[in-house]
Amino acid sequence: MRIDKYLANMNVGSRKEVHKLIKDGLVMVNGDVVKTPKQKVGDHDEVMAGDEEIKYQQYHYFLMNKPKGVLSATEDRSQRTVISLLEPQDRYQGITPVGRLDKDTTGLLLLTNDGQLNHALLAPNKHVDKVYWAKIAGVADESTVEKFAKGMTLGDGTELKPAQLKILKQDRENDSSEIEITIREGKYHQIKRMFGAEGMKVVELERLQMGKMTLGDLEQGEYRELSPEEVKNIR
């Protein structure tokens, strides 16, 4: 890989900024000053930018507790995206959210530049469970549980796989309930549309778990990088 691409991919700076570092003699490979941005580097080369050693890492994995009001997108002209919540040094090339959480939905979101893992976690045939907590306007009951468990066909013909619904709280006086639901796919506004088909409305929605990943003690808006062992466990 060219040294300028190597350094840009590792967020040392833009290509233009990296070229200036090289021109100023601040980049070294194996103790030798780099003379040209076209110089090739390999896996076992020692790369220094100034006083900092830059080790190359191809893939990055961040677990985020997405807050409300933020888009699950890489960029938007007028609204904040989950990428904007990452520190500048963590905005690696190709980082994207795995799946989407609606703007007003909170909770667990994985961001990575590992396209193969992204596909594997989202493919319905991979059976990756996604667990959500929701507050509902309307009272979900055992008949709702049974309908979700059988799989639903929505009014527009969309067919949904069976979902596991657990009722946590019912408040008939205020016509509301709290539930936990596990689905294995992520179709557009799926949970909202499921409850809408039953005459109910999702008021709050939070993703708690995806596969083996859980939020732990992450507060909304916070994120952390997954360890190699955690990445191994979700593959």
Side-chain angles (χ1 to χ4, degrees):
M1 183 183 298
R2 284 175 47 141
I3 184 65
D4 57 350
K5 182 178 181 182
Y6 180 108
L7 294 174
N9 283 359
M10 295 311 298
N11 275 350
V12 171
S14 65
R15 283 289 183 98
K16 183 177 180 180
E17 291 168 336
V18 165
H19 285 188
K20 186 175 188 310
L21 288 175
I22 293 171
K23 184 179 179 180
D24 292 344
L26 297 176
V27 178
M28 301 180 73
V29 174
N30 300 324
D32 297 323
V33 176
V34 173
K35 302 294 186 182
T36 171
K38 296 181 180 180
Q39 180 172 327
K40 297 293 180 68
V41 290
D43 294 340
H44 302 294
D45 289 325
E46 180 188 69
V47 177
M48 301 290 293
D51 296 327
E52 183 180 0
E53 182 177 2
I54 310 298
K55 290 186 177 294
Y56 195 80
Q57 182 179 337
Q58 184 175 10
Y59 296 124
H60 300 267
Y61 310 84
F62 297 105
L63 182 64
M64 176 180 289
N65 187 344
K66 177 192 166 301
K68 284 186 178 181
V70 179
L71 300 181
S72 296
T74 55
E75 59 182 353
D76 189 87
R77 291 183 178 181
S78 59
Q79 300 183 70
R80 284 198 308 162
T81 70
V82 291
I83 300 300
S84 72
L85 299 180
L86 297 176
E87 295 292 337
Q89 67 268 21
D90 291 331
R91 297 175 192 174
Y92 296 98
Q93 189 172 23
I95 290 283
T96 59
V98 178
R100 302 177 70 87
L101 292 180
D102 298 338
K103 183 178 178 180
D104 59 348
T105 298
T106 64
L108 188 151
L109 187 66
L110 178 67
L111 297 97
T112 183
N113 57 349
D114 184 341
Q116 188 174 7
L117 179 65
N118 191 326
H119 174 75
L121 288 174
L122 294 179
N125 62 335
K126 297 294 184 179
H127 304 301
V128 177
D129 287 349
K130 303 168 189 69
V131 183
Y132 294 78
W133 169 89
K135 184 173 182 180
I136 308 296
V139 179
D141 56 22
E142 288 305 315
S143 68
T144 319
V145 173
E146 292 174 7
K147 288 178 182 177
F148 283 17
K150 291 177 181 177
M152 300 179 68
T153 300
L154 300 177
D156 61 359
T158 301
E159 294 186 358
L160 302 176
K161 295 180 181 297
Q164 182 182 348
L165 178 64
K166 184 188 298 182
I167 299 172
L168 304 176
K169 187 177 180 181
Q170 291 175 318
D171 186 347
R172 297 187 182 279
E173 184 177 345
N174 293 302
D175 193 33
S176 67
S177 49
E178 293 181 22
I179 60 91
E180 185 177 283
I181 184 170
T182 303
I183 61 176
R184 289 183 170 177
E185 52 194 344
K187 294 184 177 177
Y188 181 70
H189 290 324
Q190 180 174 335
I191 295 175
K192 294 178 180 179
R193 292 164 71 198
M194 290 171 73
F195 281 100
E198 296 301 304
M200 292 176 265
K201 181 180 179 181
V202 175
V203 179
E204 293 183 45
L205 185 62
E206 177 183 17
R207 183 154 65 191
L208 305 175
Q209 186 172 342
M210 184 175 183
K212 296 181 180 180
M213 292 180 291
T214 60
L215 285 171
D217 57 1
L218 279 181
E219 299 289 339
Q220 284 190 19
E222 293 182 343
Y223 72 95
R224 66 177 180 82
E225 188 160 12
L226 295 181
S227 69
E229 185 64 27
E230 288 176 311
V231 174
K232 183 179 177 181
N233 287 337
I234 63 176
R235 284 192 177 279

